[in-house]
Amino acid sequence: MFQETGKFYSKRSKLYEEGLELLLVQWDKSREVERNEVYRDLSVERKLELLSYVAVKKFEQEQYVLFEQEELEGYIGEFLGIERRESQGVLRAIASVHGLLIERSYKVWSFSHLTFQEYLVAKWLMENQQWQGLIDDIGNQKFHQVFLLLASILSASDSEFFFKLIQNYLNKLVRNNKRIQGFLTWAKNKADSIKDNRYKKSAIRAFYVYFAQINLSCIQELLHPEKKNLAYTIDSNFRRDVAISYKEYTKDGQFLFSFSNDIAIDVAFSLLFDDDIALPFAIKQMQSIFELELAPQFKLELQFLIHLLPNKINDWNQKEWKNWLNKMRHSMINNCDIGQEIKFTNSQKKILNKYYNGNFLLVNCLYASSYSLEISQQIENALLLPIAEIEKRKRKSIE
């Protein structure tokens, strides 16, 4: 493609569209290959429809990459309405002329790259107006790229409808779950309590939803700027500040806490409960928050708790440390509204995980699309909100 056009398209779907056309037209013309008569008479559009049909038929199955030759020939025959013998010739023509289908081992085939199959599935769903049924597969990892590609090729009106379908589906997942709704309400209140205007409220909500789910047990992962994290995707300022802090931590073991005041306090405390962080280091980081702005009563409590610490860590047994950490957690809950042990059932954990990852996918779909910044902003502003707040905002907008 670069040889042909001198550039690459920034939009992946456009890259694949042009790449397929190049393989189906230009490469075909440039090579002297004996062509199957049935396949030769197909237009480029018809060839793409055939490949899309084959891609979709296989993608519907649990094992969606490798085709048995008989199966593949069957799909080709179904689509073109031809006999098995003729479909063998068509298959060989596709393989020899374009390289889009290749024989991996004896009579076992696949697309030359999964990328082509995913794009062709998205294209088929769009052209046959079957993309609305895709929403039910939002939790299926194999459809992740199909969602992104579909978002980038839908028309403006269809993409807006697509995004709202996803959002409504995700909200429906958690609508009637009181425990999860209470959790989302807590995350909203935490975000609203942070006065720093550097960050988007949706990013702060996403940070605390993830923060609380890991239950203060893996803060290093939370602060890793390269980890997949919805907050960092939504807000570049947040991602930058996390990267600065993490760089300082990996460099000399010190967090700069370049976040806003309140978030820095929450992170500093939470280091105490990370099983992978040495307690002396965590205590040192916690003591550093005295340089930040603290409420007078809260500051007195912290000074008292730090005064209780032994001169040497080893002077306390496990029970004494546990009692001290419980007191610290109690102070965190009273003063920062963080540190509560949030208990979900296994079923609730699965729903919450699907909900969070689904919202992550929704945001990536918004960024993959080139339409309507206003709609994107509306959807982003409503991310991870409790249902009561969403309905309240709807009523307000109508009024």
Side-chain angles (χ1 to χ4, degrees):
M1 279 195 62
F2 188 77
Q3 281 183 320
E4 192 72 20
T5 64
K7 64 179 180 180
F8 282 123
Y9 294 96
S10 58
K11 199 172 181 180
R12 284 196 308 141
S13 58
K14 186 66 176 174
L15 184 71
Y16 303 153
E17 178 188 348
E18 295 293 328
L20 282 166
E21 185 176 332
L22 192 68
L23 289 171
L24 290 171
V25 180
Q26 301 298 330
W27 198 35
D28 190 0
K29 289 178 180 178
S30 68
R31 303 169 74 229
E32 295 182 3
V33 179
E34 183 180 344
R35 293 167 179 79
N36 171 269
E37 186 175 338
V38 174
Y39 189 67
R40 180 187 60 200
D41 293 337
L42 298 178
S43 66
V44 172
E45 290 74 19
R46 191 65 172 158
K47 290 174 182 176
L48 277 172
E49 288 174 2
L50 167 60
L51 289 165
S52 295
Y53 180 78
V54 168
V56 167
K57 292 294 284 187
K58 192 62 181 174
F59 222 74
E60 292 170 348
Q61 301 173 28
E62 187 174 345
Q63 198 294 96
Y64 59 97
V65 176
L66 299 176
F67 300 79
E68 294 291 338
Q69 184 167 317
E70 185 177 344
E71 173 193 18
L72 185 51
E73 290 169 354
Y75 295 148
I76 293 170
E78 279 177 22
F79 183 80
L80 296 176
I82 59 177
E83 297 297 325
R84 170 82 182 278
R85 186 174 179 180
E86 289 180 299
S87 66
Q88 287 178 351
V90 171
L91 174 57
R92 292 295 172 185
I94 296 172
S96 62
V97 176
H98 313 302
L100 285 168
L101 290 170
I102 60 174
E103 194 171 13
R104 297 288 181 183
S105 60
Y106 183 64
K107 291 192 175 184
V108 176
W109 293 73
S110 76
F111 279 87
S112 54
H113 199 287
L114 182 59
T115 289
F116 287 127
Q117 188 178 0
E118 290 166 336
Y119 171 75
L120 289 164
V121 169
K123 184 177 174 62
W124 174 269
L125 293 173
M126 178 197 70
E127 292 179 347
N128 291 274
Q129 292 293 303
Q130 294 182 9
W131 48 267
Q132 295 181 39
L134 183 64
I135 306 301
D136 291 333
D137 292 307
I138 198 166
N140 192 332
Q141 185 64 30
K142 80 173 184 181
F143 283 98
H144 185 91
Q145 293 302 321
V146 176
F147 270 91
L148 296 177
L149 289 164
L150 185 58
S152 70
I153 61 178
L154 286 172
S155 66
S157 58
D158 281 346
S159 62
E160 181 178 334
F161 186 49
F162 182 55
F163 299 146
K164 288 185 176 178
L165 273 179
I166 296 174
Q167 191 172 46
N168 289 338
Y169 175 86
L170 293 171
N171 287 336
K172 190 177 178 180
L173 273 180
V174 297
R175 174 180 288 276
N176 297 319
N177 194 303
K178 291 183 179 180
R179 178 64 60 86
I180 293 177
Q181 286 300 308
F183 174 60
L184 295 176
T185 300
W186 168 81
K188 175 197 173 293
N189 292 338
K190 278 295 294 182
D192 290 346
S193 71
I194 292 171
K195 309 304 180 188
D196 196 321
N197 293 323
R198 282 182 295 172
Y199 311 132
K200 298 176 182 178
K201 290 297 182 185
S202 55
I204 301 174
R205 287 197 300 273
F207 177 78
Y208 278 106
V209 165
Y210 188 73
F211 191 34
Q213 279 190 83
I214 61 175
N215 203 26
L216 311 183
S217 62
C218 196
I219 303 304
Q220 292 179 88
E221 180 175 333
L222 174 72
L223 295 177
H224 198 305
E226 293 180 8
K227 295 288 184 182
K228 288 185 177 180
N229 189 303
L230 180 53
Y232 308 159
T233 303
I234 295 171
D235 196 327
S236 58
N237 289 334
F238 203 90
R239 182 169 61 251
R240 178 203 61 212
D241 290 350
V242 166
I244 292 171
S245 286
Y246 194 79
K247 185 177 180 181
E248 288 301 313
Y249 168 68
T250 53
K251 180 182 175 183
D252 56 16
Q254 294 291 323
F255 280 114
L256 282 180
F257 294 125
S258 57
F259 310 107
S260 68
N261 188 81
D262 296 314
I263 297 176
I265 292 170
D266 290 342
V267 171
F269 281 138
S270 300
L271 294 173
L272 293 167
F273 300 90
D274 190 326
D275 298 332
D276 295 325
I277 292 180
L279 202 53
F281 168 78
I283 290 170
K284 185 177 180 182
Q285 300 301 321
M286 186 202 71
Q287 290 171 328
S288 70
I289 69 169
F290 280 103
E291 299 173 14
L292 303 175
E293 184 180 339
L294 299 171
Q297 181 60 36
F298 185 26
K299 195 168 187 175
L300 284 174
E301 282 185 36
L302 290 182
Q303 287 172 333
F304 172 74
L305 287 168
I306 289 172
H307 179 72
L308 292 178
L309 288 169
N311 293 326
K312 295 180 180 179
I313 296 294
N314 293 334
D315 287 348
W316 273 4
N317 59 36
Q318 190 173 4
K319 184 178 179 181
E320 288 172 314
W321 274 116
K322 187 175 180 179
N323 288 336
W324 185 84
L325 286 172
N326 283 336
K327 289 176 183 176
M328 179 57 72
R329 188 187 284 270
H330 185 71
S331 182
M332 288 167 61
I333 293 170
N334 288 340
N335 294 285
C336 305
D337 192 23
I338 196 166
Q340 303 92 329
E341 289 191 46
I342 304 172
K343 295 180 180 179
F344 294 111
T345 64
N346 288 334
S347 175
Q348 288 169 337
K349 286 178 183 177
K350 287 179 181 178
I351 292 171
L352 189 57
N353 186 57
K354 186 175 183 179
Y355 174 74
Y356 177 84
N357 290 332
N359 275 283
F360 206 159
L361 179 57
L362 173 58
V363 167
N364 285 324
C365 284
L366 289 173
Y367 295 164
S369 173
S370 56
Y371 300 113
S372 186
L373 287 174
E374 183 182 349
I375 293 300
S376 296
Q377 197 60 55
Q378 287 175 11
I379 291 174
E380 189 179 295
N381 289 341
L383 285 173
L384 304 175
L385 282 174
I387 297 299
E389 179 63 21
I390 291 172
E391 292 176 347
K392 177 183 173 184
R393 292 186 183 190
K394 283 181 180 177
R395 289 194 299 270
K396 191 174 181 181
S397 66
I398 293 171
E399 293 169 1

